[in-house]
C-alpha cells in the first residue's frame, strides 16, 4: 500500500531522515519508534505532503505521491493525526467531527451555501456518520461538550476521531498516547485494535516501546534519521543496537 524509498530530508546541515526504506502492506499496523529527535515526525510530514523530501520517493497504491499536497493526499485516504492535538476548542465534540467532514473535497462549498436537496441529504448523512465515529472512539457520551473543556485523553481521542472523519485508508498516528494516564492508554489501545480489525492500515509513531510492541506486527526503529532495525516486536526487544540507542538517549525500554 505504501512504499517509502530512499527518503531523505535535510534541514540545513542536519539529516533529519536519511535514505529510509519502509513498505507497508494493506491492513498492517507498523510501528515507527526511536528516541526524541530520531526523525519520526519528519517521516510523517514527508509522507503526508507537509514537507518535500530532499531525496527519495513515496509511492501509495502504486502511484508516486512524493510532491503531492496534504489536502490531495487526504482525499486519497492518507490521513494523519498530530503530535499536539489540533481540535477546535470552542466547538462541541460533535461539531468538531461534522466540521472535519467539510474539510473533505466531497461536498462543495457552493452546494452547502445553496442548500440544495442533495446537500441536505448529505448533511443528514454526515451527522449520522459523525455520531457513528463518536461511538466508535467512545466519545458519544460527551458529544455535546465543548471540546476545549475535555480531559487531555479525550482531546487526543477527538484528534483521532477527526482523522477518521476523512475516511482514511492509511492512518498515521503521531504518539497517540502521549500525556495519557494508564487508563486512557488502555482505552486508546483498544480503539487502535478495533481500527485494525476493521482493516485500516496504520503507521504508528510511538515513543513508548511497550505500547508499540502490543499493537504492531512489525516495528521500524529510527535513530538520528536512519533505520537501525526492523522486525517483529520480539526481534526489536532483543536488538542490541536498539537497546543502545534508547539507553544512549537516557531512555528506558519498558
Ligand atoms: N522544520 C524543521 N526545521 C529544522 N529542523 C527540524 C524541523 N523539523 C524537525 N527538525 C529536526 O529534525 C530532527 C528530527 O525531528 P523529528 O521531529 O522528526 O523527531 P521525532 O523523532 O519526531 O522526535 P520526538 O520523539 O521528539 O517527537 C530533530 O533534530 C529536529 O530538531
Ligand atoms: Mg515527533
Amino acid at each position: 500500500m505504501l512504499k517509502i524509498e530512499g527518503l531523505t530530508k535535510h534541514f540545513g546541515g542536519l539529516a533529519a531522515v536519511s535514505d529510509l526504506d519502509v513498505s507497508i502492506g494493506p491492513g498492517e499496523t507498523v510501528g515507527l519508534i526511536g528516541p526524541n529527535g530520531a526523525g519520526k515526525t519528519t517521516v510523517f510530514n514527508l509522507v503526508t505532503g507537509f514537507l518535500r523530501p530532499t531525496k527519495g520517493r513515496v509511492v501509495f497504491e502504486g502511484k508516486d505521491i512524493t510532491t503531492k499536497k496534504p489536502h490531495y493526499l487526504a482525499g486519497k485516504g492518507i490521513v494523519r493525526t498530530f503530535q499536539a492535538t489540533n481540535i477546535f476548542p470552542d466547538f462541541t465534540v460533535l461539531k468538531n467531527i461534522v466540521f472535519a467532514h467539510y474539510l473533505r473535497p466531497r461536498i462543495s462549498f457552493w452546494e452547502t451555501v445553496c442548500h440544495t436537496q442533495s446537500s441536505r441529504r448529505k448533511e443528514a448523512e454526515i451527522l449520522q456518520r459523525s455520531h457513528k465515529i463518536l461511538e466508535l472512539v467512545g466519545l458519544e457520551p460527551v458529544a455535546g461538550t465543548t471540546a476545549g473543556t475535555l480531559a487531555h485523553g479525550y482531546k487526543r481521542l477527538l484528534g483521532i476521531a477527526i482523522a477518521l472523519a476523512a475516511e482514511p485508508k492509511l492512518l498515521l498516528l503521531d504518539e497517540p498516547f502521549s500525556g495519557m494516564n494508564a487508563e486512557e492508554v488502555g482505552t486508546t489501545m483498544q480503539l487502535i485494535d478495533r481500527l485494525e480489525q476493521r482493516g485500516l492500515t496504520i503507521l504508528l509513531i510511538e515513543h513508548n516501546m511497550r505500547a508499540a510492541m502490543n499493537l504492531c506486527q512489525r516495528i521500524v526503529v529510527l535513530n538520528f534519521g536512519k533505520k537501525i532495525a526492523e522486525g517483529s516486536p520480539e526481534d526489536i526487544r532483543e536488538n542490541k543496537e536498539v537497546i543502545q540507542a534508547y539507553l544512549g538517549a537516557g531512555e528506558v525500554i519498558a
Side-chain angles (χ1 to χ4, degrees):
M1 179 173 250
L2 184 78
K3 215 164 183 192
I4 294 171
E5 295 172 347
L7 201 63
T8 301
K9 180 68 188 178
H10 291 167
F11 293 116
L14 174 85
V17 178
S18 286
D19 204 20
L20 179 70
D21 295 321
V22 179
S23 288
I24 305 175
E28 257 196 309
T29 299
V30 175
L32 186 61
I33 69 168
N36 278 128
K40 306 179 295 292
T41 299
T42 303
V43 171
F44 269 28
N45 286 332
L46 293 167
V47 170
T48 53
F50 285 85
L51 284 174
R52 275 195 178 207
T54 310
K55 264 194 295 193
R57 48 180 222 142
V58 183
V59 177
F60 180 66
E61 294 184 322
K63 288 201 185 73
D64 191 326
I65 54 154
T66 315
T67 55
K68 301 292 188 202
K69 296 277 187 296
H71 186 67
Y72 171 88
L73 294 173
K76 292 284 169 207
I78 304 179
V79 181
R80 69 177 296 184
T81 63
F82 291 85
Q83 201 162 347
T85 308
N86 65 329
I87 57 172
F88 294 100
D90 298 331
F91 285 6
T92 64
V93 167
L94 178 62
K95 201 167 171 192
N96 265 273
I97 305 301
V98 169
F99 193 70
H101 281 89
Y102 285 93
L103 299 176
R104 304 214 56 202
R106 269 186 210 170
I107 296 184
S108 80
F109 173 73
W110 290 112
E111 219 180 352
T112 314
V113 169
C114 297
H115 218 67
T116 59
Q117 204 181 355
S118 87
S119 84
R120 273 197 297 275
R121 198 172 52 239
K122 276 186 192 163
E123 277 170 24
E125 262 172 45
I126 284 173
L127 196 59
Q128 202 182 11
R129 273 181 40 81
S130 299
H131 279 295
K132 282 214 172 108
I133 291 170
L134 290 180
E135 267 164 35
L136 177 70
V137 303
L139 287 178
E140 184 58 27
V142 291
T145 305
T146 306
T149 67
L150 291 174
H152 175 78
Y154 275 1
K155 280 187 188 145
R156 304 245 52 197
L157 284 175
L158 181 55
I160 298 178
I162 287 171
L164 293 176
E167 296 181 46
K169 292 183 194 167
L170 173 66
L171 180 64
L172 298 102
L173 298 168
D174 197 346
E175 300 202 27
F177 310 110
S178 73
M180 284 188 172
N181 64 34
E183 193 187 333
E184 292 166 340
V185 169
T187 310
T188 309
M189 280 177 69
Q190 282 171 16
L191 168 63
I192 295 172
D193 237 0
R194 279 201 296 279
L195 296 177
E196 199 181 340
Q197 279 160 25
R198 287 171 168 238
L200 211 61
T201 308
I202 299 170
L203 183 57
L204 171 75
I205 290 184
E206 198 34 64
H207 207 74
N208 177 330
M209 278 264 246
R210 195 175 2 181
M213 288 188 171
N214 266 308
L215 288 166
C216 301
Q217 290 109 48
R218 190 153 52 87
I219 291 179
V220 173
V221 189
L222 284 187
N223 194 26
F224 296 114
K226 290 201 175 73
K227 178 159 80 177
I228 58 165
E230 176 169 6
S232 68
E234 296 72 34
D235 292 342
I236 296 301
R237 204 191 315 253
E238 314 274 296
N239 187 298
K240 288 212 172 60
E241 210 177 333
V242 175
I243 295 167
Q244 201 53 47
Y246 270 76
L247 292 177
E251 295 172 29
V252 181
I253 301 175

